[in-house]
Amino acid sequence: MERETTCCFTGHRPNKLPWGTDETAPRCLELKRRIGEALEKAYARGYRHFICGMAQGCDLYFCEAVQALRDSRPGVTVEAAIPCESQADSWPAEERERYRRLVGLCDFETMVQRHYDRGCMLRRNRYMVDRSSLLIAAFDGSKGGTLYTASYALKNGVEVEVIDL
């Protein structure tokens, strides 16, 4: 995939979202709408390949939105960037099922490393940014993986579009 036409995503997990796991909450529905809108804009700018880190929360919203975009626009591909084989092992059963279904619907799957260690999530984030020219970030300004990924992208000349939470 060409870096110039590749977009990746970062965002918070449910524990940092005001609505937690309640995806019927108005603010969650609004965020999902705004993610879809950002993807439409990226598509209009020529982005065709989208990489998702497949974490709970915003990553899965993004993955679902890209798959919807792929169903309505030609040439869209989606890649699951998985930090390690055990990423979803401790998730609730319905979230594991959702994760597996979404990974199965992706056009590409990249396993960054086989076994979990403290740095595998950061390596996954760098993998995504290093292959992209646009990062969409659903972000509230707090410290953590989303801030790290957005900062890493900016340091490496990757455009960052923030969707404020």
Side-chain angles (χ1 to χ4, degrees):
M1 302 301 148
E2 299 290 324
R3 185 174 188 176
E4 298 77 29
T5 59
T6 299
C7 170
C8 64
F9 180 82
T10 189
H12 296 307
R13 294 187 180 132
N15 65 318
K16 282 195 172 181
L17 298 171
W19 54 86
T21 59
D22 180 8
E23 292 185 39
T24 64
R27 287 180 66 188
C28 181
L29 296 173
E30 174 63 15
L31 173 61
K32 288 181 177 186
R33 186 194 66 74
R34 292 172 62 205
I35 289 170
E37 191 175 84
L39 289 172
E40 286 286 352
K41 288 179 187 175
Y43 184 86
R45 292 178 54 197
Y47 288 91
R48 296 297 182 269
H49 184 65
F50 297 85
I51 307 173
C52 180
M54 304 306 293
Q56 284 181 288
C58 292
D59 278 10
L60 296 186
Y61 306 165
F62 177 78
C63 189
E64 289 168 338
V66 172
Q67 290 177 358
L69 181 71
R70 180 183 61 193
D71 291 344
S72 66
R73 301 282 187 264
V76 172
T77 57
V78 58
E79 176 181 353
I82 300 170
C84 63
E85 286 180 337
S86 62
Q87 178 176 16
D89 287 358
S90 64
W91 297 3
E94 66 183 44
E95 280 294 285
R96 282 194 315 270
E97 182 180 315
R98 180 184 191 186
Y99 168 85
R100 289 183 187 117
R101 180 180 52 79
L102 291 173
V103 170
L105 291 171
C106 287
D107 300 290
F108 303 95
E109 180 182 333
T110 301
M111 184 76 58
V112 175
Q113 66 185 55
R114 199 171 171 97
H115 300 288
Y116 174 83
D117 68 30
R118 286 186 357 206
C120 69
M121 304 299 175
L122 297 178
R123 281 190 282 285
R124 183 263 327 266
N125 295 345
R126 288 192 302 265
Y127 167 86
M128 295 189 307
V129 169
D130 290 346
R131 285 152 183 79
S132 301
S133 61
L134 173 64
L135 170 71
I136 298 172
F139 184 53
D140 67 1
S142 63
K143 291 182 180 180
T146 301
L147 175 61
Y148 169 85
T149 304
S151 298
Y152 180 80
L154 289 170
K155 287 177 192 171
N156 287 281
V158 174
E159 179 183 349
V160 176
E161 179 181 332
V162 175
I163 300 172
D164 292 316
L165 293 177

